[in-house]
Amino acid sequence: MGMTIAEKILAAHSGHDYVVPGQLIECRTDWVLCHEITTPAALRMLEERGMDQVFNPDQIVAVPDHSVPAMNIKAAKMYQKLKSWVQEKGIKHFFDVGRGGIAHVVLENTGLMKPGQTLVSGDSHTCNAGALGAFATGVGSTDLAGAIYAGKVWFKVPETMLIRVTGQAQPGVTPKDIVLEVIKRIGADGANYMVMEWVGDYIDNLDMEGRFTLTNMAIEAGGKTGIVAVDDTTRAYMSARGVTPDQYTEYQSDADATFKVIVEVDAAQVEPTVAYPHIPSNGRVAGSDRIAVSHAYVGSCTNGRISDLRDVARILKGRKVAEGVQMIVVPATQAIWKQAAQEGLLEIFVDAGASVSYPSCGACLGMHSGVLGPDDVCISSSNRNFVGRMGDPSAQIYLASPATVAASAVAGFISDPRAYNDTINAAD
Ligand SMILES: CC(C)[C@H](C(=O)O)[C@@H](O)C(=O)O
Ligand code: SF4
């Protein structure tokens, strides 16, 4: 019987020739990603049991990202805990504040995480790295503790959902719109405990940044992870990071692999999509209602990459954020921040009246640097719009692509970015 990519990776990491969905396996983890929010709890569990060791300090990547730079004493202590552990255990790959950014985006860019590998982290958007043709998933602090200690985790082998995206998207329609459309169709629990494998000529033609946006949001449909098979785009991405094909394993799903569900998407039919409060599956066409916004946020591990910032700059160039709208742009990493500066994007944002913040998760989860107050209405390029996600429970969050966020910031109400298609084409 054929296997999917995910099944092949899990078999290879658990000493089996093949695995089937539902099977319980003990899986080797090639990488463990640690940030300052969930790692301290895992470390405490290990310390309390006298098991305070790491399986391999060279296979742990530590990136403080949520509450940095610290906004209060509690956050400063969490950061200290992560940092002192890193120093004590000799964790090799530590991306300190000022040298990192949002952990998932830092990791995807390092060349450390490779196709065919496994990754766990105490963060639900770990699925992001699946775009590299890898198996990457979020775990709770207990499993995180086990992974740090032993380099292993237990998994029930997930079933796989195949999502075939064909055709060309209209100008102004981005991977974020595609994934919001898929989640709208299947529901916020539509892929529960499944791997979401993305295929089709739309995916073949998509760059790595767009693929990360797709796999990043698997968890918003309940997915165990998202995955894209390795192709020339992946190989070029790895090679740009000094990693050659002999350093990793490529897997493809077999022709007779079993997919629990198959979802077909015609990219040309997808419109700029906005997920209305309070669930990412609540998608509607951008601009179909007149909804005034008080805040616009571009950033996060879903859409804080350089291509996202370029999309925003094309729309903001020579324009102003509407009076009464507070816009925040957060490049996902220091490297992206620098690239955006070099390309003149930050200047465009500032000239338009947007604040540019330092790389962190801050506003995305309402921790700091852009917390929403009562009844604020935010159009956000992030991934979740749950009640209270960005601050006060009465605030309303609408999820959209960076282009839609920019178009809405300029208009002062949620708007269709296709109105700027001429601008977009002219800039390309
Ligand atoms: C703080 C962290 C555990 C959380 C997650 O796991 O997703 C955060 O990153 C989020 O996006 O809500
Ligand atoms: S950017 Fe947002 S979604 Fe991503 S890890 Fe940080 S808090 Fe979570």
Side-chain angles (χ1 to χ4, degrees):
M1 197 177 66
M3 284 194 287
T4 64
I5 307 174
E7 289 158 8
K8 289 182 186 185
I9 297 174
L10 293 178
H13 284 76
S14 59
H16 293 95
D17 291 334
Y18 70 90
V19 294
V20 290
Q23 185 176 340
L24 290 174
I25 56 162
E26 190 178 76
C27 177
R28 265 193 310 109
T29 52
D30 294 309
W31 295 103
V32 180
L33 178 63
C34 290
H35 62 52
E36 82 289 12
I37 301 294
T38 47
T39 307
L43 298 182
R44 261 193 307 279
M45 274 183 227
L46 293 173
E47 284 159 11
E48 281 162 16
R49 287 162 181 77
M51 294 165 71
D52 179 22
Q53 67 172 57
V54 299
F55 78 109
N56 182 352
D58 297 351
Q59 284 174 267
I60 293 177
V61 178
V63 194
D65 61 355
H66 281 68
S67 53
V68 294
M71 66 291 188
N72 57 33
I73 296 164
K74 188 173 170 231
K77 287 181 178 168
M78 311 249 316
Y79 166 79
Q80 282 180 338
K81 177 73 187 161
L82 184 75
K83 189 173 173 180
S84 59
W85 173 70
V86 159
Q87 287 168 342
E88 188 190 311
K89 301 296 178 200
I91 305 293
K92 188 166 155 193
H93 307 291
F94 177 51
F95 296 88
D96 204 350
V97 180
R99 292 158 192 220
I102 299 176
H104 305 301
V105 187
V106 170
L107 180 69
E108 79 193 28
N109 270 298
T110 56
L112 292 171
M113 179 76 197
K114 298 175 186 65
Q117 292 191 324
T118 56
L119 163 76
V120 296
S121 169
D123 191 285
S124 64
H125 291 98
T126 308
C127 46
N128 183 72
L132 293 167
F135 187 90
T137 193
V139 294
S141 285
T142 313
D143 283 314
L144 178 64
I148 290 170
Y149 177 80
K152 289 177 192 162
V153 280
W154 283 343
F155 285 133
K156 185 175 80 174
V157 176
E159 296 185 288
T160 298
M161 164 187 279
L162 190 76
I163 305 157
R164 188 181 293 113
V165 192
T166 50
Q168 252 193 315
Q170 305 165 41
V173 173
T174 69
K176 179 62 162 290
D177 302 296
I178 303 278
V179 70
L180 286 174
E181 164 71 18
V182 168
I183 297 170
K184 171 184 163 186
R185 272 166 57 176
I186 66 175
D189 58 357
N192 263 1
Y193 207 81
M194 284 187 238
V195 174
M196 297 171 77
E197 183 179 332
W198 296 84
V199 299
D201 59 297
Y202 174 84
I203 307 297
D204 298 340
N205 295 325
L206 192 58
D207 59 17
M208 284 307 300
E209 298 211 343
R211 294 180 188 185
F212 283 117
T213 298
L214 299 178
T215 54
N216 177 283
M217 287 197 63
I219 188 64
E220 310 314 335
K224 185 73 173 163
T225 190
I227 208 160
V228 179
V230 175
D231 64 2
D232 281 343
T233 304
T234 331
R235 288 178 206 114
Y237 184 86
M238 293 313 297
S239 127
R241 284 152 185 81
V243 184
T244 48
D246 55 300
Q247 294 175 270
Y248 54 83
T249 315
E250 298 183 7
Y251 295 100
Q252 306 283 333
S253 289
D254 293 325
D256 59 344
T258 306
F259 297 101
K260 167 104 168 145
V261 187
I262 298 181
V263 178
E264 305 274 356
V265 181
D266 177 357
Q269 300 298 318
V270 177
E271 305 203 65
T273 302
V274 175
Y276 280 38
H278 296 284
I279 190 156
S281 55
N282 201 7
R284 297 196 212 161
V285 178
S288 45
D289 306 297
R290 195 183 160 98
I291 296 163
V293 296
S294 59
H295 288 70
Y297 165 64
V298 175
S300 85
C301 57
T302 307
N303 280 121
R305 301 185 176 83
I306 193 71
S307 55
D308 300 320
L309 303 187
R310 288 179 190 141
D311 283 355
V312 172
R314 281 182 192 120
I315 292 175
L316 289 192
K317 189 169 185 178
R319 299 191 175 85
K320 292 275 182 216
V321 171
E323 287 282 329
V325 176
Q326 185 188 121
M327 184 172 194
I328 306 173
V329 183
V330 188
T333 66
Q334 287 287 86
I336 295 168
W337 200 104
K338 187 175 166 193
Q339 175 80 25
Q342 282 168 348
E343 292 183 19
L345 309 184
L346 303 187
E347 199 173 329
I348 293 173
F349 303 149
V350 172
D351 284 347
S355 316
V356 180
S357 197
Y358 48 85
S360 100
C361 294
C364 173
L365 79 169
M367 252 186 179
H368 61 98
S369 309
V371 176
L372 300 181
D375 301 320
D376 278 343
V377 179
C378 183
I379 179 99
S380 161
S381 77
S382 185
N383 44 50
R384 298 195 160 140
N385 54 353
F386 307 147
V387 172
R389 166 72 175 175
M390 294 183 75
D392 193 86
S394 67
Q396 310 272 311
I397 305 163
Y398 294 80
L399 305 176
S401 72
T404 302
V405 174
S408 308
V410 169
F413 52 89
I414 297 179
S415 302
D416 188 331
R418 286 175 296 191
Y420 295 91
N421 275 352
D422 290 345
T423 319
I424 290 170
N425 294 336
D428 276 343

